[in-house]
PDB file of all heavy atoms in Angstrom:
ATOM      1  N   GLY Q   1       0.838   0.215  -8.947  1.00  0.00           N
ATOM      2  CA  GLY Q   1      -0.289   1.129  -8.840  1.00  0.00           C
ATOM      3  C   GLY Q   1      -1.598   0.415  -8.521  1.00  0.00           C
ATOM      4  O   GLY Q   1      -2.534   1.027  -7.980  1.00  0.00           O
ATOM      5  N   ARG Q   2      -1.667  -0.874  -8.821  1.00  0.00           N
ATOM      6  CA  ARG Q   2      -2.888  -1.631  -8.525  1.00  0.00           C
ATOM      7  C   ARG Q   2      -3.144  -1.721  -7.027  1.00  0.00           C
ATOM      8  O   ARG Q   2      -4.286  -1.855  -6.596  1.00  0.00           O
ATOM      9  CB  ARG Q   2      -2.779  -3.041  -9.110  1.00  0.00           C
ATOM     10  CG  ARG Q   2      -2.604  -3.068 -10.627  1.00  0.00           C
ATOM     11  CD  ARG Q   2      -2.432  -4.479 -11.138  1.00  0.00           C
ATOM     12  NE  ARG Q   2      -2.188  -4.510 -12.588  1.00  0.00           N
ATOM     13  CZ  ARG Q   2      -1.995  -5.621 -13.294  1.00  0.00           C
ATOM     14  NH1 ARG Q   2      -2.007  -6.795 -12.666  1.00  0.00           N
ATOM     15  NH2 ARG Q   2      -1.785  -5.569 -14.594  1.00  0.00           N
ATOM     16  N   TYR Q   3      -2.069  -1.663  -6.253  1.00  0.00           N
ATOM     17  CA  TYR Q   3      -2.219  -1.745  -4.793  1.00  0.00           C
ATOM     18  C   TYR Q   3      -3.033  -0.573  -4.260  1.00  0.00           C
ATOM     19  O   TYR Q   3      -3.815  -0.729  -3.313  1.00  0.00           O
ATOM     20  CB  TYR Q   3      -0.848  -1.771  -4.131  1.00  0.00           C
ATOM     21  CG  TYR Q   3      -0.900  -1.619  -2.634  1.00  0.00           C
ATOM     22  CD1 TYR Q   3      -1.338  -2.668  -1.828  1.00  0.00           C
ATOM     23  CD2 TYR Q   3      -0.534  -0.421  -2.012  1.00  0.00           C
ATOM     24  CE1 TYR Q   3      -1.404  -2.534  -0.444  1.00  0.00           C
ATOM     25  CE2 TYR Q   3      -0.595  -0.279  -0.639  1.00  0.00           C
ATOM     26  CZ  TYR Q   3      -1.034  -1.331   0.140  1.00  0.00           C
ATOM     27  OH  TYR Q   3      -1.102  -1.204   1.502  1.00  0.00           O
ATOM     28  N   LEU Q   4      -2.880   0.587  -4.868  1.00  0.00           N
ATOM     29  CA  LEU Q   4      -3.604   1.761  -4.394  1.00  0.00           C
ATOM     30  C   LEU Q   4      -5.102   1.622  -4.602  1.00  0.00           C
ATOM     31  O   LEU Q   4      -5.890   2.181  -3.828  1.00  0.00           O
ATOM     32  CB  LEU Q   4      -3.083   3.018  -5.122  1.00  0.00           C
ATOM     33  CG  LEU Q   4      -1.583   3.306  -4.965  1.00  0.00           C
ATOM     34  CD1 LEU Q   4      -1.191   4.527  -5.788  1.00  0.00           C
ATOM     35  CD2 LEU Q   4      -1.232   3.508  -3.504  1.00  0.00           C
ATOM     36  N   ASP Q   5      -5.517   0.870  -5.621  1.00  0.00           N
ATOM     37  CA  ASP Q   5      -6.945   0.684  -5.891  1.00  0.00           C
ATOM     38  C   ASP Q   5      -7.553  -0.425  -5.049  1.00  0.00           C
ATOM     39  O   ASP Q   5      -8.712  -0.331  -4.631  1.00  0.00           O
ATOM     40  CB  ASP Q   5      -7.156   0.374  -7.380  1.00  0.00           C
ATOM     41  CG  ASP Q   5      -6.689   1.510  -8.276  1.00  0.00           C
ATOM     42  OD1 ASP Q   5      -6.832   2.674  -7.854  1.00  0.00           O
ATOM     43  OD2 ASP Q   5      -6.172   1.237  -9.372  1.00  0.00           O
ATOM     44  N   ALA Q   6      -6.787  -1.479  -4.788  1.00  0.00           N
ATOM     45  CA  ALA Q   6      -7.322  -2.615  -4.022  1.00  0.00           C
ATOM     46  C   ALA Q   6      -6.208  -3.179  -3.139  1.00  0.00           C
ATOM     47  O   ALA Q   6      -5.607  -4.198  -3.463  1.00  0.00           O
ATOM     48  CB  ALA Q   6      -7.850  -3.681  -4.978  1.00  0.00           C
ATOM     49  N   PRO Q   7      -5.923  -2.535  -2.005  1.00  0.00           N
ATOM     50  CA  PRO Q   7      -4.796  -2.947  -1.150  1.00  0.00           C
ATOM     51  C   PRO Q   7      -4.879  -4.397  -0.681  1.00  0.00           C
ATOM     52  O   PRO Q   7      -3.894  -5.138  -0.750  1.00  0.00           O
ATOM     53  CB  PRO Q   7      -4.877  -1.971   0.029  1.00  0.00           C
ATOM     54  CG  PRO Q   7      -5.584  -0.775  -0.524  1.00  0.00           C
ATOM     55  CD  PRO Q   7      -6.573  -1.324  -1.490  1.00  0.00           C
ATOM     56  N   ASP Q   8      -6.024  -4.827  -0.198  1.00  0.00           N
ATOM     57  CA  ASP Q   8      -6.131  -6.183   0.335  1.00  0.00           C
ATOM     58  C   ASP Q   8      -6.028  -7.251  -0.748  1.00  0.00           C
ATOM     59  O   ASP Q   8      -5.669  -8.391  -0.471  1.00  0.00           O
ATOM     60  CB  ASP Q   8      -7.451  -6.346   1.098  1.00  0.00           C
ATOM     61  CG  ASP Q   8      -7.276  -6.138   2.590  1.00  0.00           C
ATOM     62  OD1 ASP Q   8      -6.135  -6.292   3.071  1.00  0.00           O
ATOM     63  OD2 ASP Q   8      -8.253  -5.784   3.272  1.00  0.00           O
ATOM     64  N   GLU Q   9      -6.338  -6.891  -1.964  1.00  0.00           N
ATOM     65  CA  GLU Q   9      -6.288  -7.872  -3.056  1.00  0.00           C
ATOM     66  C   GLU Q   9      -4.851  -8.117  -3.508  1.00  0.00           C
ATOM     67  O   GLU Q   9      -4.490  -9.259  -3.834  1.00  0.00           O
ATOM     68  CB  GLU Q   9      -7.129  -7.375  -4.232  1.00  0.00           C
ATOM     69  CG  GLU Q   9      -7.100  -8.322  -5.430  1.00  0.00           C
ATOM     70  CD  GLU Q   9      -7.925  -7.805  -6.590  1.00  0.00           C
ATOM     71  OE1 GLU Q   9      -8.686  -6.829  -6.395  1.00  0.00           O
ATOM     72  OE2 GLU Q   9      -7.807  -8.372  -7.688  1.00  0.00           O
ATOM     73  N   TRP Q  10      -4.018  -7.077  -3.521  1.00  0.00           N
ATOM     74  CA  TRP Q  10      -2.688  -7.203  -4.092  1.00  0.00           C
ATOM     75  C   TRP Q  10      -1.577  -7.388  -3.057  1.00  0.00           C
ATOM     76  O   TRP Q  10      -0.737  -8.265  -3.213  1.00  0.00           O
ATOM     77  CB  TRP Q  10      -2.383  -5.978  -4.964  1.00  0.00           C
ATOM     78  CG  TRP Q  10      -3.279  -5.908  -6.148  1.00  0.00           C
ATOM     79  CD1 TRP Q  10      -4.368  -5.097  -6.311  1.00  0.00           C
ATOM     80  CD2 TRP Q  10      -3.217  -6.721  -7.312  1.00  0.00           C
ATOM     81  NE1 TRP Q  10      -4.989  -5.335  -7.511  1.00  0.00           N
ATOM     82  CE2 TRP Q  10      -4.294  -6.336  -8.151  1.00  0.00           C
ATOM     83  CE3 TRP Q  10      -2.368  -7.727  -7.753  1.00  0.00           C
ATOM     84  CZ2 TRP Q  10      -4.525  -6.927  -9.396  1.00  0.00           C
ATOM     85  CZ3 TRP Q  10      -2.597  -8.317  -8.986  1.00  0.00           C
ATOM     86  CH2 TRP Q  10      -3.660  -7.929  -9.789  1.00  0.00           C
ATOM     87  N   LEU Q  11      -1.577  -6.587  -1.999  1.00  0.00           N
ATOM     88  CA  LEU Q  11      -0.526  -6.714  -0.972  1.00  0.00           C
ATOM     89  C   LEU Q  11      -1.163  -6.597   0.412  1.00  0.00           C
ATOM     90  O   LEU Q  11      -0.987  -5.593   1.113  1.00  0.00           O
ATOM     91  CB  LEU Q  11       0.551  -5.628  -1.154  1.00  0.00           C
ATOM     92  CG  LEU Q  11       1.400  -5.683  -2.420  1.00  0.00           C
ATOM     93  CD1 LEU Q  11       2.303  -4.454  -2.512  1.00  0.00           C
ATOM     94  CD2 LEU Q  11       2.227  -6.960  -2.475  1.00  0.00           C
ATOM     95  N   PRO Q  12      -1.875  -7.627   0.833  1.00  0.00           N
ATOM     96  CA  PRO Q  12      -2.562  -7.548   2.130  1.00  0.00           C
ATOM     97  C   PRO Q  12      -1.603  -7.366   3.305  1.00  0.00           C
ATOM     98  O   PRO Q  12      -1.952  -6.716   4.293  1.00  0.00           O
ATOM     99  CB  PRO Q  12      -3.318  -8.880   2.224  1.00  0.00           C
ATOM    100  CG  PRO Q  12      -2.638  -9.786   1.239  1.00  0.00           C
ATOM    101  CD  PRO Q  12      -2.145  -8.900   0.155  1.00  0.00           C
ATOM    102  N   SER Q  13      -0.404  -7.931   3.208  1.00  0.00           N
ATOM    103  CA  SER Q  13       0.549  -7.782   4.320  1.00  0.00           C
ATOM    104  C   SER Q  13       0.960  -6.327   4.512  1.00  0.00           C
ATOM    105  O   SER Q  13       1.172  -5.874   5.639  1.00  0.00           O
ATOM    106  CB  SER Q  13       1.792  -8.647   4.071  1.00  0.00           C
ATOM    107  OG  SER Q  13       2.488  -8.218   2.916  1.00  0.00           O
ATOM    108  N   LEU Q  14       1.055  -5.580   3.430  1.00  0.00           N
ATOM    109  CA  LEU Q  14       1.390  -4.158   3.530  1.00  0.00           C
ATOM    110  C   LEU Q  14       0.210  -3.355   4.039  1.00  0.00           C
ATOM    111  O   LEU Q  14       0.369  -2.423   4.832  1.00  0.00           O
ATOM    112  CB  LEU Q  14       1.841  -3.627   2.160  1.00  0.00           C
ATOM    113  CG  LEU Q  14       2.229  -2.147   2.090  1.00  0.00           C
ATOM    114  CD1 LEU Q  14       3.361  -1.835   3.069  1.00  0.00           C
ATOM    115  CD2 LEU Q  14       2.621  -1.750   0.669  1.00  0.00           C
ATOM    116  N   ASN Q  15      -0.963  -3.734   3.622  1.00  0.00           N
ATOM    117  CA  ASN Q  15      -2.166  -3.026   4.058  1.00  0.00           C
ATOM    118  C   ASN Q  15      -2.365  -3.135   5.567  1.00  0.00           C
ATOM    119  O   ASN Q  15      -2.939  -2.237   6.189  1.00  0.00           O
ATOM    120  CB  ASN Q  15      -3.393  -3.577   3.330  1.00  0.00           C
ATOM    121  CG  ASN Q  15      -4.626  -2.726   3.534  1.00  0.00           C
ATOM    122  OD1 ASN Q  15      -4.543  -1.497   3.584  1.00  0.00           O
ATOM    123  ND2 ASN Q  15      -5.772  -3.372   3.650  1.00  0.00           N
ATOM    124  N   ARG Q  16      -1.875  -4.230   6.179  1.00  0.00           N
ATOM    125  CA  ARG Q  16      -2.038  -4.442   7.622  1.00  0.00           C
ATOM    126  C   ARG Q  16      -0.727  -4.220   8.381  1.00  0.00           C
ATOM    127  O   ARG Q  16      -0.626  -4.580   9.550  1.00  0.00           O
ATOM    128  CB  ARG Q  16      -2.533  -5.871   7.885  1.00  0.00           C
ATOM    129  CG  ARG Q  16      -3.785  -6.276   7.121  1.00  0.00           C
ATOM    130  CD  ARG Q  16      -4.966  -5.392   7.451  1.00  0.00           C
ATOM    131  NE  ARG Q  16      -6.147  -5.728   6.660  1.00  0.00           N
ATOM    132  CZ  ARG Q  16      -7.262  -5.019   6.645  1.00  0.00           C
ATOM    133  NH1 ARG Q  16      -7.338  -3.925   7.393  1.00  0.00           N
ATOM    134  NH2 ARG Q  16      -8.286  -5.382   5.897  1.00  0.00           N
ATOM    135  N   ALA Q  17       0.261  -3.627   7.720  1.00  0.00           N
ATOM    136  CA  ALA Q  17       1.582  -3.475   8.340  1.00  0.00           C
ATOM    137  C   ALA Q  17       1.554  -2.577   9.568  1.00  0.00           C
ATOM    138  O   ALA Q  17       2.388  -2.714  10.469  1.00  0.00           O
ATOM    139  CB  ALA Q  17       2.582  -2.919   7.325  1.00  0.00           C
ATOM    140  N   ASN Q  18       0.579  -1.657   9.634  1.00  0.00           N
ATOM    141  CA  ASN Q  18       0.525  -0.742  10.775  1.00  0.00           C
ATOM    142  C   ASN Q  18      -0.180  -1.345  11.987  1.00  0.00           C
ATOM    143  O   ASN Q  18      -0.351  -0.678  13.013  1.00  0.00           O
ATOM    144  CB  ASN Q  18      -0.158   0.569  10.378  1.00  0.00           C
ATOM    145  CG  ASN Q  18      -1.566   0.343   9.836  1.00  0.00           C
ATOM    146  OD1 ASN Q  18      -2.057  -0.782   9.822  1.00  0.00           O
ATOM    147  ND2 ASN Q  18      -2.195   1.415   9.401  1.00  0.00           N
ATOM    148  N   GLY Q  19      -0.583  -2.608  11.874  1.00  0.00           N
ATOM    149  CA  GLY Q  19      -1.211  -3.286  13.004  1.00  0.00           C
ATOM    150  C   GLY Q  19      -2.660  -2.938  13.226  1.00  0.00           C
ATOM    151  O   GLY Q  19      -3.257  -3.345  14.231  1.00  0.00           O
ATOM    152  N   SER Q  20      -3.254  -2.204  12.300  1.00  0.00           N
ATOM    153  CA  SER Q  20      -4.654  -1.805  12.435  1.00  0.00           C
ATOM    154  C   SER Q  20      -5.535  -2.637  11.516  1.00  0.00           C
ATOM    155  O   SER Q  20      -5.084  -3.131  10.485  1.00  0.00           O
ATOM    156  CB  SER Q  20      -4.795  -0.312  12.102  1.00  0.00           C
ATOM    157  OG  SER Q  20      -6.155   0.059  12.060  1.00  0.00           O
ATOM    158  N   THR Q  21      -6.793  -2.787  11.893  1.00  0.00           N
ATOM    159  CA  THR Q  21      -7.746  -3.512  11.036  1.00  0.00           C
ATOM    160  C   THR Q  21      -8.295  -2.616   9.939  1.00  0.00           C
ATOM    161  O   THR Q  21      -8.952  -3.105   9.019  1.00  0.00           O
ATOM    162  CB  THR Q  21      -8.910  -4.047  11.889  1.00  0.00           C
ATOM    163  OG1 THR Q  21      -9.533  -2.950  12.579  1.00  0.00           O
ATOM    164  CG2 THR Q  21      -8.411  -5.068  12.899  1.00  0.00           C
ATOM    165  N   ARG Q  22      -8.037  -1.336  10.067  1.00  0.00           N
ATOM    166  CA  ARG Q  22      -8.506  -0.394   9.063  1.00  0.00           C
ATOM    167  C   ARG Q  22      -7.540  -0.371   7.882  1.00  0.00           C
ATOM    168  O   ARG Q  22      -6.363  -0.701   8.002  1.00  0.00           O
ATOM    169  CB  ARG Q  22      -8.619   1.009   9.659  1.00  0.00           C
ATOM    170  CG  ARG Q  22      -9.593   1.091  10.826  1.00  0.00           C
ATOM    171  CD  ARG Q  22      -9.626   2.484  11.412  1.00  0.00           C
ATOM    172  NE  ARG Q  22     -10.058   3.467  10.414  1.00  0.00           N
ATOM    173  CZ  ARG Q  22     -10.113   4.778  10.655  1.00  0.00           C
ATOM    174  NH1 ARG Q  22      -9.735   5.253  11.834  1.00  0.00           N
ATOM    175  NH2 ARG Q  22     -10.536   5.610   9.709  1.00  0.00           N
ATOM    176  N   GLN Q  23      -8.056   0.016   6.733  1.00  0.00           N
ATOM    177  CA  GLN Q  23      -7.230   0.090   5.528  1.00  0.00           C
ATOM    178  C   GLN Q  23      -6.163   1.165   5.690  1.00  0.00           C
ATOM    179  O   GLN Q  23      -6.395   2.197   6.323  1.00  0.00           O
ATOM    180  CB  GLN Q  23      -8.123   0.393   4.313  1.00  0.00           C
ATOM    181  CG  GLN Q  23      -7.359   0.444   2.996  1.00  0.00           C
ATOM    182  CD  GLN Q  23      -8.298   0.521   1.814  1.00  0.00           C
ATOM    183  OE1 GLN Q  23      -9.098  -0.380   1.607  1.00  0.00           O
ATOM    184  NE2 GLN Q  23      -8.214   1.604   1.055  1.00  0.00           N
ATOM    185  N   GLN Q  24      -5.007   0.913   5.112  1.00  0.00           N
ATOM    186  CA  GLN Q  24      -3.902   1.855   5.183  1.00  0.00           C
ATOM    187  C   GLN Q  24      -4.311   3.191   4.561  1.00  0.00           C
ATOM    188  O   GLN Q  24      -4.959   3.231   3.516  1.00  0.00           O
ATOM    189  CB  GLN Q  24      -2.685   1.285   4.435  1.00  0.00           C
ATOM    190  CG  GLN Q  24      -1.381   2.025   4.664  1.00  0.00           C
ATOM    191  CD  GLN Q  24      -0.228   1.387   3.912  1.00  0.00           C
ATOM    192  OE1 GLN Q  24      -0.388   0.966   2.763  1.00  0.00           O
ATOM    193  NE2 GLN Q  24       0.922   1.284   4.555  1.00  0.00           N
ATOM    194  N   ARG Q  25      -3.915   4.274   5.223  1.00  0.00           N
ATOM    195  CA  ARG Q  25      -4.254   5.594   4.711  1.00  0.00           C
ATOM    196  C   ARG Q  25      -3.627   5.816   3.338  1.00  0.00           C
ATOM    197  O   ARG Q  25      -2.549   5.313   3.030  1.00  0.00           O
ATOM    198  CB  ARG Q  25      -3.782   6.674   5.686  1.00  0.00           C
ATOM    199  CG  ARG Q  25      -4.514   6.653   7.013  1.00  0.00           C
ATOM    200  CD  ARG Q  25      -3.938   7.683   7.954  1.00  0.00           C
ATOM    201  NE  ARG Q  25      -4.034   9.038   7.384  1.00  0.00           N
ATOM    202  CZ  ARG Q  25      -3.512  10.122   7.952  1.00  0.00           C
ATOM    203  NH1 ARG Q  25      -2.827   9.993   9.102  1.00  0.00           N
ATOM    204  NH2 ARG Q  25      -3.662  11.305   7.400  1.00  0.00           N
ATOM    205  N   THR Q  26      -4.330   6.594   2.502  1.00  0.00           N
ATOM    206  CA  THR Q  26      -3.904   6.787   1.119  1.00  0.00           C
ATOM    207  C   THR Q  26      -2.490   7.361   1.021  1.00  0.00           C
ATOM    208  O   THR Q  26      -1.659   6.878   0.254  1.00  0.00           O
ATOM    209  CB  THR Q  26      -4.879   7.715   0.381  1.00  0.00           C
ATOM    210  OG1 THR Q  26      -6.189   7.136   0.412  1.00  0.00           O
ATOM    211  CG2 THR Q  26      -4.448   7.919  -1.061  1.00  0.00           C
ATOM    212  N   GLU Q  27      -2.203   8.409   1.829  1.00  0.00           N
ATOM    213  CA  GLU Q  27      -0.880   9.022   1.733  1.00  0.00           C
ATOM    214  C   GLU Q  27       0.214   8.045   2.167  1.00  0.00           C
ATOM    215  O   GLU Q  27       1.326   8.061   1.634  1.00  0.00           O
ATOM    216  CB  GLU Q  27      -0.811  10.294   2.576  1.00  0.00           C
ATOM    217  CG  GLU Q  27      -1.039  10.076   4.063  1.00  0.00           C
ATOM    218  CD  GLU Q  27      -0.886  11.359   4.859  1.00  0.00           C
ATOM    219  OE1 GLU Q  27      -0.927  12.443   4.251  1.00  0.00           O
ATOM    220  OE2 GLU Q  27      -0.737  11.268   6.090  1.00  0.00           O
ATOM    221  N   ARG Q  28      -0.106   7.163   3.097  1.00  0.00           N
ATOM    222  CA  ARG Q  28       0.862   6.171   3.548  1.00  0.00           C
ATOM    223  C   ARG Q  28       1.059   5.106   2.477  1.00  0.00           C
ATOM    224  O   ARG Q  28       2.186   4.645   2.239  1.00  0.00           O
ATOM    225  CB  ARG Q  28       0.384   5.543   4.850  1.00  0.00           C
ATOM    226  CG  ARG Q  28       1.448   4.792   5.618  1.00  0.00           C
ATOM    227  CD  ARG Q  28       1.028   4.600   7.042  1.00  0.00           C
ATOM    228  NE  ARG Q  28       2.018   3.878   7.837  1.00  0.00           N
ATOM    229  CZ  ARG Q  28       1.963   3.764   9.159  1.00  0.00           C
ATOM    230  NH1 ARG Q  28       0.965   4.335   9.833  1.00  0.00           N
ATOM    231  NH2 ARG Q  28       2.899   3.101   9.810  1.00  0.00           N
ATOM    232  N   SER Q  29      -0.023   4.728   1.825  1.00  0.00           N
ATOM    233  CA  SER Q  29       0.066   3.752   0.737  1.00  0.00           C
ATOM    234  C   SER Q  29       0.901   4.297  -0.418  1.00  0.00           C
ATOM    235  O   SER Q  29       1.749   3.597  -0.985  1.00  0.00           O
ATOM    236  CB  SER Q  29      -1.332   3.392   0.223  1.00  0.00           C
ATOM    237  OG  SER Q  29      -2.119   2.821   1.232  1.00  0.00           O
ATOM    238  N   VAL Q  30       0.652   5.551  -0.768  1.00  0.00           N
ATOM    239  CA  VAL Q  30       1.400   6.173  -1.864  1.00  0.00           C
ATOM    240  C   VAL Q  30       2.889   6.228  -1.531  1.00  0.00           C
ATOM    241  O   VAL Q  30       3.742   5.955  -2.384  1.00  0.00           O
ATOM    242  CB  VAL Q  30       0.850   7.588  -2.146  1.00  0.00           C
ATOM    243  CG1 VAL Q  30       1.773   8.334  -3.116  1.00  0.00           C
ATOM    244  CG2 VAL Q  30      -0.559   7.504  -2.716  1.00  0.00           C
ATOM    245  N   ALA Q  31       3.226   6.567  -0.286  1.00  0.00           N
ATOM    246  CA  ALA Q  31       4.634   6.635   0.112  1.00  0.00           C
ATOM    247  C   ALA Q  31       5.296   5.266  -0.020  1.00  0.00           C
ATOM    248  O   ALA Q  31       6.432   5.168  -0.502  1.00  0.00           O
ATOM    249  CB  ALA Q  31       4.742   7.152   1.542  1.00  0.00           C
ATOM    250  N   CYS Q  32       4.606   4.214   0.398  1.00  0.00           N
ATOM    251  CA  CYS Q  32       5.161   2.861   0.289  1.00  0.00           C
ATOM    252  C   CYS Q  32       5.383   2.469  -1.166  1.00  0.00           C
ATOM    253  O   CYS Q  32       6.420   1.908  -1.524  1.00  0.00           O
ATOM    254  CB  CYS Q  32       4.234   1.858   0.981  1.00  0.00           C
ATOM    255  SG  CYS Q  32       4.199   1.988   2.789  1.00  0.00           S
ATOM    256  N   VAL Q  33       4.405   2.760  -2.017  1.00  0.00           N
ATOM    257  CA  VAL Q  33       4.518   2.421  -3.434  1.00  0.00           C
ATOM    258  C   VAL Q  33       5.661   3.200  -4.085  1.00  0.00           C
ATOM    259  O   VAL Q  33       6.456   2.638  -4.861  1.00  0.00           O
ATOM    260  CB  VAL Q  33       3.180   2.692  -4.155  1.00  0.00           C
ATOM    261  CG1 VAL Q  33       3.364   2.635  -5.675  1.00  0.00           C
ATOM    262  CG2 VAL Q  33       2.136   1.676  -3.726  1.00  0.00           C
ATOM    263  N   GLN Q  34       5.775   4.481  -3.763  1.00  0.00           N
ATOM    264  CA  GLN Q  34       6.840   5.282  -4.341  1.00  0.00           C
ATOM    265  C   GLN Q  34       8.219   4.788  -3.905  1.00  0.00           C
ATOM    266  O   GLN Q  34       9.161   4.751  -4.699  1.00  0.00           O
ATOM    267  CB  GLN Q  34       6.659   6.750  -3.951  1.00  0.00           C
ATOM    268  CG  GLN Q  34       5.485   7.435  -4.635  1.00  0.00           C
ATOM    269  CD  GLN Q  34       5.635   7.447  -6.142  1.00  0.00           C
ATOM    270  OE1 GLN Q  34       5.107   6.565  -6.846  1.00  0.00           O
ATOM    271  NE2 GLN Q  34       6.365   8.421  -6.663  1.00  0.00           N
ATOM    272  N   LEU Q  35       8.348   4.391  -2.642  1.00  0.00           N
ATOM    273  CA  LEU Q  35       9.625   3.885  -2.153  1.00  0.00           C
ATOM    274  C   LEU Q  35       9.952   2.536  -2.783  1.00  0.00           C
ATOM    275  O   LEU Q  35      11.118   2.246  -3.091  1.00  0.00           O
ATOM    276  CB  LEU Q  35       9.603   3.780  -0.631  1.00  0.00           C
ATOM    277  CG  LEU Q  35      10.967   3.612   0.052  1.00  0.00           C
ATOM    278  CD1 LEU Q  35      11.907   4.758  -0.311  1.00  0.00           C
ATOM    279  CD2 LEU Q  35      10.808   3.535   1.566  1.00  0.00           C
ATOM    280  N   LEU Q  36       8.929   1.709  -2.992  1.00  0.00           N
ATOM    281  CA  LEU Q  36       9.149   0.438  -3.685  1.00  0.00           C
ATOM    282  C   LEU Q  36       9.622   0.674  -5.118  1.00  0.00           C
ATOM    283  O   LEU Q  36      10.533  -0.004  -5.605  1.00  0.00           O
ATOM    284  CB  LEU Q  36       7.865  -0.385  -3.695  1.00  0.00           C
ATOM    285  CG  LEU Q  36       7.547  -1.219  -2.454  1.00  0.00           C
ATOM    286  CD1 LEU Q  36       6.187  -1.881  -2.599  1.00  0.00           C
ATOM    287  CD2 LEU Q  36       8.619  -2.273  -2.216  1.00  0.00           C
ATOM    288  N   ARG Q  37       9.007   1.621  -5.780  1.00  0.00           N
ATOM    289  CA  ARG Q  37       9.402   1.914  -7.160  1.00  0.00           C
ATOM    290  C   ARG Q  37      10.838   2.418  -7.229  1.00  0.00           C
ATOM    291  O   ARG Q  37      11.598   2.049  -8.129  1.00  0.00           O
ATOM    292  CB  ARG Q  37       8.444   2.942  -7.755  1.00  0.00           C
ATOM    293  CG  ARG Q  37       7.095   2.358  -8.155  1.00  0.00           C
ATOM    294  CD  ARG Q  37       6.119   3.429  -8.569  1.00  0.00           C
ATOM    295  NE  ARG Q  37       4.890   2.851  -9.128  1.00  0.00           N
ATOM    296  CZ  ARG Q  37       3.754   3.506  -9.276  1.00  0.00           C
ATOM    297  NH1 ARG Q  37       3.671   4.784  -8.895  1.00  0.00           N
ATOM    298  NH2 ARG Q  37       2.701   2.911  -9.782  1.00  0.00           N
ATOM    299  N   ALA Q  38      11.227   3.276  -6.283  1.00  0.00           N
ATOM    300  CA  ALA Q  38      12.598   3.778  -6.252  1.00  0.00           C
ATOM    301  C   ALA Q  38      13.586   2.640  -6.010  1.00  0.00           C
ATOM    302  O   ALA Q  38      14.672   2.603  -6.602  1.00  0.00           O
ATOM    303  CB  ALA Q  38      12.742   4.842  -5.166  1.00  0.00           C
ATOM    304  N   SER Q  39      13.218   1.692  -5.151  1.00  0.00           N
ATOM    305  CA  SER Q  39      14.088   0.547  -4.878  1.00  0.00           C
ATOM    306  C   SER Q  39      14.197  -0.356  -6.102  1.00  0.00           C
ATOM    307  O   SER Q  39      15.278  -0.860  -6.429  1.00  0.00           O
ATOM    308  CB  SER Q  39      13.551  -0.245  -3.681  1.00  0.00           C
ATOM    309  OG  SER Q  39      13.509   0.561  -2.512  1.00  0.00           O
ATOM    310  N   LEU Q  40      13.081  -0.569  -6.791  1.00  0.00           N
ATOM    311  CA  LEU Q  40      13.094  -1.409  -7.987  1.00  0.00           C
ATOM    312  C   LEU Q  40      13.956  -0.807  -9.087  1.00  0.00           C
ATOM    313  O   LEU Q  40      14.554  -1.531  -9.900  1.00  0.00           O
ATOM    314  CB  LEU Q  40      11.663  -1.597  -8.508  1.00  0.00           C
ATOM    315  CG  LEU Q  40      10.768  -2.533  -7.691  1.00  0.00           C
ATOM    316  CD1 LEU Q  40       9.326  -2.415  -8.147  1.00  0.00           C
ATOM    317  CD2 LEU Q  40      11.250  -3.970  -7.805  1.00  0.00           C
ATOM    318  N   LYS Q  41      14.035   0.513  -9.117  1.00  0.00           N
ATOM    319  CA  LYS Q  41      14.854   1.193 -10.122  1.00  0.00           C
ATOM    320  C   LYS Q  41      16.319   0.781 -10.016  1.00  0.00           C
ATOM    321  O   LYS Q  41      17.024   0.704 -11.020  1.00  0.00           O
ATOM    322  CB  LYS Q  41      14.709   2.711  -9.938  1.00  0.00           C
ATOM    323  CG  LYS Q  41      15.507   3.538 -10.926  1.00  0.00           C
ATOM    324  CD  LYS Q  41      15.295   5.020 -10.670  1.00  0.00           C
ATOM    325  CE  LYS Q  41      16.138   5.883 -11.604  1.00  0.00           C
ATOM    326  NZ  LYS Q  41      15.939   7.328 -11.345  1.00  0.00           N
TER     327      LYS Q  41
END
């Protein structure tokens, strides 16, 4: 959940995964975090 508050601080590679210099959109960030959590389960 910390990634959602500070993307570049915790997972910068994910924040730039879309090839843009702009920060990852919130809904896209949430989807990535949720999928990671499901995989960790």
Side-chain angles (χ1 to χ4, degrees):
R2 299 177 183 180
Y3 170 74
L4 302 177
D5 298 326
D8 264 338
E9 178 181 349
W10 295 102
L11 294 174
S13 63
L14 180 58
N15 191 37
R16 307 300 177 188
N18 57 4
S20 173
T21 57
R22 300 178 61 183
Q23 182 171 299
Q24 192 179 41
R25 294 176 59 185
T26 301
E27 61 177 17
R28 196 162 180 169
S29 299
V30 170
C32 290
V33 168
Q34 289 299 95
L35 195 57
L36 277 176
R37 284 173 172 163
S39 299
L40 286 169
K41 180 180 177 181

